[in-house]
Amino acid sequence: NAGVTQTPKFQVLKTGQSMTLQCAQDMNHNSMYWYRQDPGMGLRLIYYSASEGTTDKGEVPNGYNVSRLNKREFSLRLESAAPSQTSVYFCASSFRRRETGELFFGEGSRLTVL
Amino acid sequence: QKEVEQDPGPLSVPEGAIVSLNCTYSNSAFQYFMWYRQYSRKGPELLMYTYSSGNKEDGRFTAQVDKSSKYISLFIRDSQPSDSATYLCAMSAGNNDMRFGAGTRLTVKP
């Protein structure tokens, strides 16, 4: 039972490069999320998708775009990476709304922007 | 001021000790309270979930919510080395908004 799978697990970019983080869940969850985790800041929501076909901004959406490709997959794109986007990125999913239900997280993608 | 404050630690205790982890918050609308556990290089996993005020117990873990003081706690009894992890509090008003604390790093020494 894979749960939430993120790729890649590690990535180093130069300033200005672009990349896409991929996420897939096999739990038939309706909602999916992208968070970033920085020391001393906790988890902050970048974007979320409450259901297939919808996406909404979270707390820190600037510099990111997302695509809910289907019910299983939710990708996060950095169009022009900046050093401030160096972080650990987590994808999560939930059956119900995240504030009333359990979030299931992937293992994270560690991104360094030089 | 952050909406959710959590002492980052690190906290180091001997095996068998009682551990107390805490968060304070400023938004009086929060009514859903959660504790997530995160092992090194892994994603967080839900440990405890509480709605509104009161206590909830699950094995060696007890979650307490005091809404009048805007203060939540997680107690771990008979702590084990396998409890060594970062513990994140999280809370929500149920209005599609959710906030995490920064996490407290706990080490339980054999």
Side-chain angles (χ1 to χ4, degrees), chain A residues 10 35 37-38 40-45 48 56 59 90 97-108 110, chain B residues 2 32 34 36 38 40-46 49 86 88 92-103:
Chain A
F10 301 93
Y35 284 89
Q37 187 174 38
D38 303 290
M41 299 295 293
L43 285 160
R44 291 181 293 168
L45 183 66
Y48 68 98
D56 286 287
E59 299 172 64
F90 287 98
R97 281 160 39 193
R98 69 188 187 282
E99 62 273 14
T100 60
E102 181 176 359
L103 283 172
F104 291 83
F105 287 87
E107 294 202 338
R110 285 162 177 76
Chain B
K2 295 179 185 176
Y32 298 90
M34 291 142 276
Y36 281 81
Q38 184 176 21
S40 181
R41 302 281 178 173
K42 299 291 186 183
E45 55 181 351
L46 183 66
Y49 176 94
T86 297
L88 307 167
S92 166
N95 57 351
N96 211 29
D97 190 17
M98 184 171 172
R99 292 285 185 264
F100 281 84

Side-chain angles (χ1 to χ4, degrees), chain B residues 21-56:
Chain B
L21 304 168
N22 312 293
C23 288
T24 59
Y25 61 94
S26 57
N27 187 346
S28 58
F30 286 151
Q31 51 183 333
Y32 298 90
F33 303 93
M34 291 142 276
W35 286 95
Y36 281 81
R37 177 174 62 194
Q38 184 176 21
Y39 290 114
S40 181
R41 302 281 178 173
K42 299 291 186 183
E45 55 181 351
L46 183 66
L47 191 59
M48 298 285 284
Y49 176 94
T50 308
Y51 172 70
S52 195
S53 284
N55 293 0
K56 186 173 184 179

